[in-house]
Each structure stands twice: as structure tokens, then as C-alpha cells.
């Protein structure tokens, strides 16, 4: 009896939490779960927001990749962010520098007006310090389709 209850609980959990459904052979593999933040060197935080309609540039879709929260200046850093429209790359941006507490890179794309699409983003964050390279890669997805009005 207990085994059946456990199996039912696991199956229910898989249905409620899509990123765990890939463990079931009969289910198609869902997209990876969005990753919003990751820890880097010296308590620095790598962050990637979800693709969204820009609040400062009308009719533009963008995504922000940030390194923030560092307790010391990063000796050397680099960021790379890519924006995808339904799995097709539409924008990419990079940035790098030295001796900063925080950094931001933004990928912008002005889509055709009147169209609605789902977007995703991927970013790689690297900090070089103390003779080591600290790297994190994050992904995130838009909250449904984003429409740019006419």
C-alpha cells in the first residue's frame, strides 16, 4: 500500500513540476527550468531576468544579465547574453572590464510590430580572480508570448 501511495505522490509531483517530468520515459522532454541567479566569486551574484518588453525603449524586447552584490571589486569579468525568439537567435551582447563591483549587459531586439512570440535567453558570466576562473551559465524564458502592438 505504502509503495502505491509513494508512486502516486511522485507522479503527481512530476505533473505539477514540469522540469522533473523528464524522468518519465513516456513524457516528452520539457524545456529546461529557468535559472534566475547563481553564486560566483566573493558572493557576487549572476542574474538573468526573463525576456520582456522594454520599459525604457518602446517596441523593443530585451533581457538583462547582471553581476551584482560583490563584496570586493572584480579583478576581471566578462558577460555574454543571447536573446532567442522561438529558438532562433535574434540578439547578442557582451561586456567585460576590470575592478568593478557590478556589471550589466543588455540584449535588445526590435521585433516586427503586430507579432507575438515566445522568447528565451542564455547568459554566461565569468570572473577571473586569484588565478582562477569562476563561471556560471543561466537561462530564462518569457512569461508567455510577448506582443509588440502596431
Amino acid at each position: 500500500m505504502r509503495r502505491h501511495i509513494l508512486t502516486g505522490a511522485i507522479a503527481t509531483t512530476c505533473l505539477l513540476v514540469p522540469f522533473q517530468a523528464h524522468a518519465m520515459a513516456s513524457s516528452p522532454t520539457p524545456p529546461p527550468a529557468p535559472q534566475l541567479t547563481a553564486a560566483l566569486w566573493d558572493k557576487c551574484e549572476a542574474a538573468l531576468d526573463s525576456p520582456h518588453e522594454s520599459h525604457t525603449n518602446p517596441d523593443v524586447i530585451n533581457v538583462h544579465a547582471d553581476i551584482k552584490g560583490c563584496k570586493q571589486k572584480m579583478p576581471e569579468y566578462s558577460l555574454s547574453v543571447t536573446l532567442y525568439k522561438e529558438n532562433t537567435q535574434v540578439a547578442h551582447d557582451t561586456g567585460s572590464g576590470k575592478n568593478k563591483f557590478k556589471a550589466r549587459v543588455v540584449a535588445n531586439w526590435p521585433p516586427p510590430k503586430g507579432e507575438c512570440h515566445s522568447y528565451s535567453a542564455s547568459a554566461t558570466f565569468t570572473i577571473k580572480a586569484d588565478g582562477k576562473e569562476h563561471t556560471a551559465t543561466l537561462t530564462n524564458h518569457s512569461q508567455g508570448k510577448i506582443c509588440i502592438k502596431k
Side-chain angles (χ1 to χ4, degrees), residues 11-146:
T12 302
T13 302
C14 289
L15 293 174
L16 295 174
V17 185
F19 66 88
Q20 291 180 349
H22 71 282
M24 299 172 59
S26 62
S27 300
T29 303
Q35 300 169 320
L36 304 178
T37 62
L40 285 171
W41 169 84
D42 186 47
K43 301 191 181 185
C44 293
E45 179 181 278
L48 180 66
D49 65 357
S50 59
H52 58 277
E53 189 171 352
S54 175
H55 304 290
T56 56
N57 298 318
D59 305 327
V60 171
I61 304 297
N62 70 18
V63 63
H64 307 110
D66 294 288
I67 298 176
K68 56 189 177 180
C70 301
K71 301 301 177 201
Q72 310 177 53
K73 289 183 179 180
M74 298 173 281
E76 187 176 344
Y77 70 88
S78 64
L79 293 100
S80 173
V81 64
T82 305
L83 178 65
Y84 300 92
K85 176 193 82 166
E86 297 170 356
N87 298 319
T88 300
Q89 181 179 326
V90 292
H92 180 77
D93 198 12
T94 61
S96 61
K98 295 181 179 190
N99 299 317
K100 300 281 185 181
F101 281 104
K102 61 184 179 177
R104 171 174 269 192
V105 173
V106 180
N108 290 303
W109 184 64
K113 292 183 180 180
E115 293 186 11
C116 299
H117 298 283
S118 295
Y119 294 87
S120 61
S122 174
T124 301
F125 308 81
T126 303
I127 297 175
K128 293 180 183 176
D130 307 321
K132 295 180 184 174
E133 193 170 276
H134 308 270
T135 302
T137 300
L138 300 175
T139 61
N140 209 341
H141 308 278
S142 60
Q143 305 298 312
K145 291 192 176 196
I146 301 172

